[in-house]
Amino acid sequence: MPSFSERTMMIWSLCLIISLSNRILVIASSSRHLCRPYQKDALLEFKNEFHYNVMAGKTESWRNNTDCCSWKGISCDPKTGNVVELDLQDSFLNGPLRSNSSLFRLQHLHTLDLGLNNLTGIIPASISNLKYLRNLTLYSCNLFGKIPSSLGNLSYLTDLDLSVNDFNGELPGSVGYLNRLTELRLVSANLSGKFPLALLNLSELTWIDLRSNKFEGMLPSNMSSLSKLIYFEISGNSFSGSVPLSLFMIPTLVDLDLGRNDFTGPLEIGDISSPSKLRVLYLGENNFNGPVPRSLSKLVSLVSLDLSFWNTRRGKVDFTIFLHLKSLRLLHLSNMNTKTMVDLSLLSHLMSLGDLDLSGINLKINPTLNLPSPIKFLALSSCSIVEFPKFIQSQTRLIYLDISANQIEGQVPEWLWKLPVLWYVNISQNSFYGFEGSEDVIQNSAKIMLDISSNTFQNPFPLLPVSLMYFSCSDNRFSGEISREICKLVYLDTLVLSNNNFNGSIPRCFENFNTTLSVLNLRNNSISGVFPEESIGAYLQSLEVGHNKISGGLPKSLINCTRLEFLNVEDNMFNDKFPFWLRLLPNLQILVLRSNQFHGKIFSFGASLIFPKLRIFDISRNLFTGVLPSDYFAGWSAMSSDVGIVDSTPVRILGRGSGFYHRSVALTNKGLNMELVGSGFKIYKSIDVSGNRIEGDIPISIGLLKELIVLNMSNNVFTGGIPPSLASLTNLQSLDLSQNRLSGEIPPELGKLTFLARMNFSYNMLEGPIPQGTQIQSQNSSSFAENPGLCGFPLEETCGGKEEEATKQEEDGEKEEKDQVISWISAAIGYLPGVLGGLTIGHILYSYKYGWFMRIFHYFT
Ligand SMILES: *[C@@H]1O[C@H](CO)[C@@H](O)[C@H](O)[C@H]1NC(C)=O
Ligand SMILES: *[C@@H]1O[C@H](CO)[C@@H](O)[C@H](O)[C@H]1NC(C)=O
Ligand SMILES: *[C@@H]1O[C@H](CO)[C@@H](O)[C@H](O)[C@H]1NC(C)=O
Ligand SMILES: *[C@@H]1O[C@H](CO)[C@@H](O)[C@H](O)[C@H]1NC(C)=O
Ligand SMILES: *[C@@H]1O[C@H](CO)[C@@H](O)[C@H](O)[C@H]1NC(C)=O
Ligand SMILES: *[C@@H]1O[C@H](CO)[C@@H](O)[C@H](O)[C@H]1NC(C)=O
Ligand SMILES: *[C@@H]1O[C@H](CO)[C@@H](O)[C@H](O)[C@H]1NC(C)=O
Ligand SMILES: *[C@@H]1O[C@H](CO)[C@@H](O)[C@H](O)[C@H]1NC(C)=O
Ligand SMILES: *[C@@H]1O[C@H](CO)[C@@H](O)[C@H](O)[C@H]1NC(C)=O
Ligand SMILES: *[C@@H]1O[C@H](CO)[C@@H](O)[C@H](O)[C@H]1NC(C)=O
Ligand SMILES: *[C@@H]1O[C@H](CO)[C@@H](O)[C@H](O)[C@H]1NC(C)=O
């Protein structure tokens, strides 16, 4: 369930737009003719150091023949005439801030704001020339590199904001000299290292914001020197250990955000005798355990409290603790692993509650319950609810409703659609079978996201509101042709109709989506006919139509989908040549053509495949033929290096990271069939060309794909020897070369592949001794069967004199295999559910459509 922050993003963004436009109106007030010529020259030169793509923004008004103190973004000291303030926020500056920039001649500046520009480059050390600076704002400037330690020379600095940049390394210790600093904002700046101890020297600090970086380690145990701290926000890092008691003892503290870290242990907040000022306490998504401290009830000023994912170890939680917190507006208690059953009526005394998340807690909801109605966000997922909660009907301010994963049966009540501002409705994973009311009951509401997946809904297919951006009805019992009505939803970004029983062909009108749709999933229906040639659009990132009966060719219009990352058409009746033109899709990461009737060569002179981002290539069980040149795999760089690939598809307007829309693909690794969802894709790299008629040598360039985890070339007509370059695939876990016509020896180097848990060389014409090596020797003899010339353990044929050694190898091998199996299982557990926390940020920064929107949101949450 998405967190508060993500859900309120839209609202935040709107506020921000309003506040930005206000700001633009207030600057540039002083206007006496005081401008000093050398400063005017410096400013004009500064303006010319950048290029402007669209328009010049504030600097447009800067002309040599006017007074520079009257220019937009400039303020002068009325007495001395010096330029003291330069505010060029969001002024379309493109280009680096050079170390010899004329900016540094403006010695009297005390405020410099270059936020929201494109200064691609480093912060030059000469920034310390501006020695009277008090406020320095460089947020969202595409800055990188190290933060210069010369910053420590800006001894007048009170406000420093370097948020939303891609710096490298730690915050320099020299910040410990900034002893006038009151506000420090370093949100999402890619900073790492331990908590900067230098900050403890800065006793004037009121605001520390280090959210969404890569800080780690424990917080210092004595933080009492920060005696004026009001805001302490460090969520979205990897801080660990216990939270120091001294933090709670800071009397001025109002806002404490420690969410999404690795803090552990029971929480001690000490004796709260004097009235606490604490209004915001976010502790969610850590590893806290033990009882919820009773003393929380004394934090009577609390407005927001998040304890989600607190592990009570199936213990009891005394929910009356929260009843004392009468000012609460946000209460997140989801996934606390408690066996306590909570009567929701308990919360009816919290008159201001606007955001309530009790997901994962067993709830008792009395049908006559009436809650105060300022609720805007309500998440009651997995609460063992059996009846549609009637109190929701009077929640007229509700924007967000998640009652997924409960046991509600029957029809969705008609009144739900009448709630005036409800945008997000998630009723997935229940047992609804229909909608109460007339056919157009949903259509007349203004929904943006609707998830009705995993129920037992049947026809008639509902008429949907045109405002929808996200719709999923996967895993239901809808049938018949896909209604053309759906093409009226021209704002749709994600459409998921998978796992129903739709038949007929794909409506041609899907071309209506050509300016919006980024995810289309029709998997596992009975859709037939050819894929329409009409373009589904330039925004498509993920197209999944596997497990249907689609015939004919892949539509060439996909060439224009340059954002396509994921293409899965497995298990259909496609009958086409290999789509060489896919090489023109620079972002393609996953290509699955498995189990169709694709045919012909997969190599063509002059159309060599270079897939820089491809990670999963599965063309198995088709009718491909031909020989592959030895450099076939050169240029498949995502499989040859471990550069992190950022998966951009999952980001949606109100969703969270990969918890939101899961693409899936079936893979076989080490003989296990598995389905990868969500973040599993990010690390998985595999090639499967099995079950075709490809012939000739295995290309030696296969050895370049060092990140490969699964390689399956079985059941083809490969000849020649096994290339020793395979031994470079040090991450390989599964190798299948069976059922070919390979000859020669198994290269002894393969014995060194320590992760290779499953291999199969059977049904070839291999000969010579099976190589030594714990993994290879732990295989079943069937992995080597039907190779007339192979000998040595685990086969019964001896090669002469080596048998004793082999027996010893076997013992080692068995133990090793057990270890492997265990590590494999834990790895699978690790990534299958999708790493919910942490992921979001990277995704957000990469989201293209809502790029600006997301950055802003990100900055504020
Ligand atoms: C501005 O005008 C003055 C006098 O006309 C001239 O000396 C100076 O070079 C000009 N500055 C710029 C940056 O063009
Ligand atoms: C930012 O600047 C860099 C190099 O100066 C340029 O490649 C990039 O396109 C610019 N980005 C935007 C959004 O203008
Ligand atoms: C600043 O240095 C760059 C080279 O780094 C040079 O091209 C430029 O002319 C210099 N500018 C000034 C104002 O000196
Ligand atoms: C500079 O920082 C101070 C202290 O936080 C603040 O009150 C002031 O508004 C800031 N000035 C500008 C121009 O941002
Ligand atoms: C501060 O400035 C002094 C003299 O200008 C210089 O020696 C020193 O290295 C600077 N300190 C930092 C941290 O840059
Ligand atoms: C973030 O910092 C790490 C070092 O901590 C560095 O390797 C990486 O390149 C940085 N990322 C970006 C996008 O600059
Ligand atoms: C702390 O600040 C004082 C001046 O207030 C300075 O002398 C000292 O070196 C600073 N210490 C650190 C660790 O930055
Ligand atoms: C914590 O540090 C302050 C000075 O910053 C010191 O006065 C105090 O004694 C320390 N407290 C403990 C318990 O060490
Ligand atoms: C989208 O399709 C419409 C016709 O349905 C067409 O007029 C329009 O040019 C297309 N836009 C793009 C970007 O392909
Ligand atoms: C791709 O788009 C261009 C421009 O909209 C169009 O002319 C071309 O026919 C499209 N290509 C395919 C294969 O649909
Ligand atoms: C709806 O809820 C389910 C189960 O809690 C979740 O997996 C899914 O991502 C949610 N859908 C949306 C659109 O947020």
Side-chain angles (χ1 to χ4, degrees), residues 598-613:
F598 286 99
H599 51 83
K601 296 186 171 158
I602 62 170
F603 166 75
S604 143
F605 286 104
S608 67
L609 293 176
I610 294 180
F611 286 125
K613 295 197 176 160

Side-chain angles (χ1 to χ4, degrees), residues 113-133:
D113 183 349
L114 300 178
L116 286 169
N117 286 295
N118 182 20
L119 304 183
T120 328
I122 61 166
I123 301 181
S126 46
I127 189 90
S128 62
N129 289 0
L130 302 175
K131 52 178 180 288
Y132 299 112
L133 268 191

Side-chain angles (χ1 to χ4, degrees), residues 37 40-45 48 63-65:
K40 180 198 270 189
D41 284 352
L43 284 168
L44 287 172
E45 279 173 40
N48 290 328
R63 302 262 154 70
N64 197 354
N65 58 0

Side-chain angles (χ1 to χ4, degrees), residues 151-172:
L151 216 53
N153 268 351
L154 297 174
S155 56
Y156 292 96
L157 214 55
T158 61
D159 286 62
L160 178 60
D161 187 349
L162 303 178
S163 301
V164 194
N165 285 295
D166 280 324
F167 297 117
N168 205 328
E170 309 190 359
L171 189 64

